Amino acid sequence: MDSSPVNWEALDALIIDFAKSENLIEDSSPPSSPSLSSSPSLSSSSYHSRLIIRQIRRSLEAGDVDAAIDLFRAHAPFVLEDHRLLFRLQKQKFIELLRKGTTEDRGPAIDYLRTFLAPCALNAYPEAYEEFKHVLLAFIYDKDDQTSPVANEWAEKRRYEIAGLMSSVLRAHLHAYNPIFSMTLRYLISIHKGFCFRQGILSPISDLTERLLLEERDPPAIPQESLYEAQPFDEVDIQALAHAVELTRQGAIDSLRFAKGDLFQAFQNEICRMRLDAAMLDELVREYCIYRGIVESGVQTLSEPLKGNPLESGCYSTQDSSLDVDYSSAKWSNSETSATTDMSSMRGTDVELRYASDPANNLEDCSTSGSHQSENLRLLRNRSHVACERSKRKRWRGRHDELDHISDIHFNRCSKQEVSTAMQVASATISKAQQGVENINGEEKYEIVLGMKELASRGMAAEVLEEINALDPNFFAQNPVLLFQLKQVEFLKLVGLGDHSGALKVACSHLGPLAASDPNLLKPLKETLLSLLRPNEDALVTGLPLHALATSLQVAFGKRLGIEEPQLVRIMKATLYTHTEWFKLQMCKDRFESLLRIDSLKENSTPVLTSLASSKSNTESCNLGSSQVTISSTTRLSDDGGSPNQASSRDVICDENAILKVMEFLALPRADAIHLLAQYNGNAETVIQQIFA
C-alpha cells in the first residue's frame, strides 16, 4: 500500500500550473489556475506582470532608481501618483546620487532636493518632512561611518526594503500573485517550521526548507489614509489572518485595511511577502516534472556531472531520501542518512544519481536470455504506448526574463523533435529490456519506469506484470500488495467484459492466495468479489483509481531500480503531515486550505479496493465562526503538555467568543488559549483575571 499522504494527481496539476504560469515549459496552452481554485478571489497572476515586478525589484536593489521610475511610468503610473510611495523613491534616489562619492555629484543631488524631494515631502505624509530633514545629514556623514545618525539611510539594506515594499504594492494592485503552488509551499513550510519549533522536533527536511524559504519578508503594503477609519473587522478574521501568517494583531488589521476587508486577498498579500529561492524552487519543480514524465529529461543533461553550486543542477540530497514518520510521537528519522546532510558535499556527483543509481549490488540476477520472439513483439507493442506518451512531454524552458513569449513556430519545431527522439529511445530500449535490470543504463531505467506507470494508468495490468517479471522476477514477491492491486485490475476488466469464469480464475489463482498470506487483504478481496453481483462495463474506472495505482507502481519499481522520489515530494510529505498536526493542536479547521488546494493534496489517493483498515482520528474539528464552539479534550491537552490532573477531568466546551477574547487580551496562540480555558471551565474572564492577578 502506498503510505504517502500526498495526492500525486493533485500535485501534478499544481506543478503543471506553476510551470506554465512561470513560463518554465514550452507549452501553448494557458495555465489552469482559475479552474484549480473554487474561490473567485484567487485569480491567476499574469507572467508579464510578475516579470515587470521582478525587473523593478532588481533595479531598486541595484540602486538604479531612474530605471525603476521609468518602469513605473510605463506599467504602473499609480505608484508615482501616490506621494507616500513617490517620496520614498525620491529619497532613495537622493542617497544614490550621493553614494557615487564625487564632488560633481553633489550639485545634481542638491538640485534634486530642491526640485523634487522637498516639494514631495510637504505633501507625502505627516512624518515625511522630518524624514526629509534627517536625510540631509547624509551631506556631512560618510557612507562608511557605521555610527552616524544616517547609517541606516546609507545601508544597502534600505534598497532591499524599498524594493520589497514596491513589490508588495504592485502585487496587490496588479493582482500579480504568485502561482497557487508557490503560495501553498510558502504556507506549508512556514507552518512546518513553526510546528517543529513549538514541539521541539528536529525537522527532517531542514536541509531543504532553510534554503528554500528565506527568512526575510517584503515590507507590508501601506493602506490608504482613507482606510484608517474603516469599520472594525470581525475578530475571527483578524485572529485567523494573524496566526496564519505570523502577524501581530495590529499587523493583521492593517493588512485587512489594505485589502478593504477581504480576508482572502489580505492572506494572499501576506503569503506573497514571504520569499522563496526561485532558482532552487525551479530545480525542484524540474526534478519532479522529469520524474513524472511531464517534461523531457534530456540525455545530455542527465549525463553531465554537476559543476559549482548543487542548487544550480537540481541535486539536493544524498542518494537515500526515504522518510520515516512516527505519527504517534510526531518525530521523524532518516532511515540511512541524516536529514541535515550538507548539500555542498554533493558537488561533482552525477545527476543520474537522482534518477538511476546503480542497484546491481542489491538485485539478484534477473537475466531473461533466450526469450521468444513473441515476447519481443509484445514489448514492441507496449513500448509504442511509451513512445506515444513521451511525445506529449514538454520541453523544459527554464526561467528567462524576456517579455516576449515563445513563438508558435519555435514550439512546433521542438514538439516534432520530441516525437522523433521519443521513438528512437523507445525502440532502442526494446532490445535492452530482455537483458535484465543490471544491464540497463540510467536513461533506459527511467524510461522503463515511466512506461510501467503509463501502462498501469491505462489498466493494462497483464502487460505490466509480464514486463516487470521479465526484468525482475523477485519484485512482486517483495511487493505483494502491488501484485494484489494489479490482479484486481485484471479481475475487474474481465467482469466488465462479462467473463465471470475468467475473473473467478484470477481470483482463485492469485487474489485468494495473496489474501490468505495477508489477512489485511481479506476485506478488499470481499469488496472486489462484490463486483460480480453488479457487473458494469465501467467497473474498472469507477472501482479503482488507476492513476493512484500507477503512481504506487512507479514509486516502488523506481526505487527497485535506484530511482528515488523527487525532493519536492519529500517536502510535501513532511509539511502536509505537520499542517494536519498543527490544526489538531489549534482544534479547528484551516480557513485557507481550500484556497491553496491543501485539502485536495491530502485527499486519499490510495486504491479504494486495497485500502487496508487504518484507524482515523474522530477528533471534532470546527470552522472559525462567531457561533462555533470547541470541544477541548483534556486528554489531548495533556498530550500537548497539560498536567496529568487535566486528563482525568471532564471535557470542557469552549465558546468561540471566549477563545477569541483570551487570544486577543493575552496575545496567545489558539491552542494555548483553549488550554487555559479548559483549566477554568471555559470562563474567559476568570482566565484573564488569574493571569493579571
Side-chain angles (χ1 to χ4, degrees):
M1 181 183 67
D2 183 8
S3 61
S4 171
V6 182
N7 184 327
W8 288 70
E9 294 302 309
L11 184 56
D12 283 351
L14 286 174
I15 291 291
I16 293 172
D17 173 75
F18 172 83
K20 289 181 180 180
S21 296
E22 293 288 39
N23 206 20
L24 296 174
I25 57 177
E26 295 182 355
D27 186 81
S28 58
S29 59
S32 54
S33 292
S35 63
L36 283 174
S37 175
S38 58
S39 171
S41 64
L42 187 58
S43 59
S44 174
S45 55
S46 70
Y47 172 76
H48 185 269
S49 296
R50 291 196 306 275
L51 183 56
I52 291 171
I53 294 174
R54 286 203 296 268
Q55 290 176 326
I56 290 174
R57 179 191 285 273
R58 290 174 183 175
S59 296
L60 292 173
E61 289 175 350
D64 192 350
V65 181
D66 285 336
I69 290 177
D70 289 341
L71 288 169
F72 283 129
R73 189 174 292 112
H75 303 286
F78 65 87
V79 172
L80 303 180
E81 295 169 1
D82 188 332
H83 285 188
R84 300 169 306 161
L85 300 175
L86 180 61
F87 175 73
R88 288 174 170 84
L89 287 169
Q90 291 177 343
K91 188 171 65 168
Q92 189 63 33
K93 170 70 180 298
F94 168 71
I95 290 293
E96 297 304 335
L97 286 172
L98 291 181
R99 196 188 300 275
K100 297 178 181 179
T102 63
T103 305
E104 292 77 10
D105 292 315
R106 286 182 173 267
I110 293 174
D111 291 339
Y112 193 79
L113 276 175
R114 292 171 177 169
T115 308
F116 298 103
L117 191 56
C120 188
L122 296 174
N123 302 313
Y125 47 89
E127 302 84 4
Y129 193 69
E130 288 299 321
E131 292 180 17
F132 165 73
K133 291 189 293 183
H134 181 74
V135 81
L136 292 178
L137 295 173
F139 275 122
I140 61 175
Y141 288 99
D142 189 81
K143 61 183 178 182
D144 297 323
D145 186 355
Q146 299 300 318
T147 62
S148 74
V150 286
N152 289 335
E153 301 291 345
W154 279 116
E156 291 193 2
K157 179 182 178 182
R158 187 57 61 91
R159 291 177 173 178
Y160 292 89
E161 290 176 353
I162 191 171
L165 172 62
M166 297 302 166
S167 297
S168 295
V169 171
L170 289 171
R171 270 195 303 266
H173 281 280
L174 300 178
H175 295 281
Y177 297 113
N178 300 109
I180 299 175
F181 177 70
S182 180
M183 290 192 285
T184 302
L185 200 59
R186 287 170 164 87
Y187 185 55
L188 288 174
I189 292 178
S190 66
I191 290 178
H192 176 81
K193 286 184 174 182
F195 178 84
C196 292
F197 176 79
R198 180 183 175 84
Q199 299 299 106
I201 299 171
L202 179 63
S203 169
I205 56 171
S206 59
D207 57 328
L208 296 171
T209 57
E210 295 301 325
R211 300 166 190 260
L212 186 56
L213 185 64
L214 307 180
E215 289 295 331
E216 62 268 18
R217 296 188 185 188
D218 290 338
I222 308 170
Q224 297 178 12
E225 293 181 3
S226 60
L227 296 179
Y228 280 99
E229 301 300 327
Q231 294 296 322
F233 303 108
D234 192 331
E235 189 65 30
V236 174
D237 291 345
I238 295 172
Q239 295 296 337
L241 181 62
H243 292 286
V245 289
E246 299 178 357
L247 293 176
T248 63
R249 184 174 183 275
Q250 186 59 48
I253 292 173
D254 290 341
S255 183
L256 285 167
R257 280 175 177 158
F258 182 80
K260 300 180 180 179
D262 188 327
L263 174 64
F264 296 108
Q265 184 176 341
F267 174 77
Q268 292 178 79
N269 291 338
E270 295 301 323
I271 208 71
C272 288
R273 286 176 52 208
M274 301 179 185
R275 298 188 60 185
L276 289 174
D277 185 320
M280 183 176 179
L281 177 58
D282 289 352
E283 288 301 330
L284 288 172
V285 169
R286 177 177 178 272
E287 181 192 27
Y288 180 89
C289 288
I290 291 174
Y291 182 88
R292 293 290 285 173
I294 297 170
V295 302
E296 283 289 351
S297 61
V299 177
Q300 292 181 351
T301 302
L302 286 176
S303 61
E304 292 178 357
L306 299 181
K307 297 179 181 179
N309 192 329
L311 297 184
E312 297 175 356
S313 50
C315 188
Y316 297 104
S317 76
T318 54
Q319 180 175 337
D320 178 61
S321 60
S322 56
L323 179 67
D324 298 324
V325 182
D326 184 352
Y327 291 89
S328 61
S329 60
K331 296 181 179 179
W332 297 273
S333 63
N334 195 305
S335 59
E336 292 185 10
T337 58
S338 172
T340 57
T341 302
D342 186 359
M343 292 164 62
S344 62
S345 64
M346 295 304 295
R347 296 176 186 264
T349 306
D350 196 294
V351 178
E352 289 188 11
L353 285 177
R354 286 295 310 139
Y355 303 108
S357 306
D358 184 9
N361 295 330
N362 300 323
L363 293 178
E364 296 80 8
D365 183 14
C366 300
S367 176
T368 56
S369 57
S371 301
H372 297 291
Q373 185 177 5
S374 60
E375 290 196 10
N376 288 331
L377 293 175
R378 173 186 54 78
L379 287 172
L380 177 62
R381 182 179 66 253
N382 294 338
R383 295 294 173 194
S384 65
H385 293 288
V386 179
C388 179
E389 184 65 20
R390 182 170 183 179
S391 68
K392 300 177 183 178
R393 297 181 202 165
K394 308 303 179 184
R395 184 177 298 277
W396 184 264
R397 177 179 181 272
R399 192 176 293 275
H400 298 282
D401 287 340
E402 66 272 16
L403 291 175
D404 57 319
H405 295 277
I406 302 299
S407 66
D408 293 337
I409 297 176
H410 178 67
F411 173 75
N412 291 335
R413 185 177 71 249
C414 293
S415 298
K416 293 178 181 178
Q417 184 179 357
E418 285 180 6
V419 175
S420 175
T421 304
M423 295 303 295
Q424 292 174 5
V425 173
S427 60
T429 307
I430 298 170
S431 59
K432 293 291 187 72
Q434 296 297 310
Q435 299 177 13
V437 173
E438 67 278 6
N439 294 324
I440 304 175
N441 65 34
E443 179 73 9
E444 290 168 350
K445 290 177 183 178
Y446 167 67
E447 288 300 328
I448 287 173
V449 172
L450 286 177
M452 300 302 174
K453 169 178 169 286
E454 174 62 19
L455 293 175
S457 67
R458 298 187 182 191
M460 302 172 69
E463 290 79 0
V464 171
L465 289 166
E466 289 182 64
E467 292 213 20
I468 290 182
N469 284 327
L471 290 168
D472 183 5
N474 298 310
F475 174 76
F476 287 115
Q478 299 175 10
N479 296 273
V481 174
L482 275 176
L483 177 59
F484 185 88
Q485 293 173 357
L486 289 169
K487 288 299 179 180
Q488 277 182 298
V489 173
E490 282 192 46
F491 180 91
L492 292 173
K493 285 180 70 175
L494 292 171
V495 170
L497 295 172
D499 186 359
H500 291 180
S501 61
L504 288 174
K505 183 178 179 180
V506 170
C508 294
S509 302
H510 300 281
L511 297 179
L514 287 169
S517 61
D518 185 354
N520 290 321
L521 294 175
L522 284 175
K523 181 179 179 181
L525 173 60
K526 296 174 184 177
E527 294 173 347
T528 304
L529 293 175
L530 284 176
S531 62
L532 290 170
L533 304 179
R534 45 179 184 273
N536 184 352
E537 292 183 359
D538 296 327
L540 179 61
V541 177
T542 59
L544 192 68
L546 292 176
H547 287 292
L549 172 57
T551 296
S552 301
L553 184 67
Q554 178 187 15
V555 172
F557 194 61
K559 286 185 177 181
R560 185 67 169 160
L561 298 183
I563 304 173
E564 293 294 338
E565 290 181 7
Q567 296 292 340
L568 200 54
V569 173
R570 183 183 171 205
I571 293 174
M572 298 306 295
K573 284 181 178 180
T575 56
L576 287 173
Y577 167 69
T578 50
H579 177 273
T580 299
E581 294 302 307
W582 174 249
F583 281 95
K584 284 182 181 178
L585 289 176
Q586 304 305 305
M587 301 179 196
C588 67
K589 183 178 175 62
D590 183 4
R591 295 190 66 181
F592 306 106
E593 67 177 13
S594 295
L595 183 79
L596 298 180
R597 308 300 295 168
I598 294 173
D599 51 353
S600 66
L601 288 170
K602 289 182 179 181
E603 287 175 0
N604 184 17
S605 59
T606 304
V608 291
L609 295 182
T610 60
S611 58
L612 306 181
S614 59
S615 60
K616 294 185 178 180
S617 173
N618 293 321
T619 304
E620 294 291 335
S621 62
C622 60
N623 293 318
L624 288 173
S626 58
S627 62
Q628 75 181 50
V629 296
T630 296
I631 300 178
S632 173
S633 171
T634 50
T635 303
R636 188 186 305 118
L637 289 171
S638 79
D639 291 341
D640 190 35
S643 64
N645 295 333
Q646 296 168 356
S648 60
S649 64
R650 61 183 177 84
D651 287 352
V652 178
I653 298 179
C654 302
D655 181 74
E656 183 65 19
N657 291 326
I659 297 172
L660 292 173
K661 184 179 293 186
V662 173
M663 290 173 68
E664 177 184 356
F665 274 88
L666 303 181
L668 290 176
R670 182 182 177 86
D672 291 344
I674 296 173
H675 190 169
L676 285 172
L677 285 167
Q679 298 180 43
Y680 295 98
N681 297 319
N683 192 311
E685 287 74 13
T686 304
V687 170
I688 296 172
Q689 290 173 6
Q690 291 296 323
I691 294 296
F692 288 104

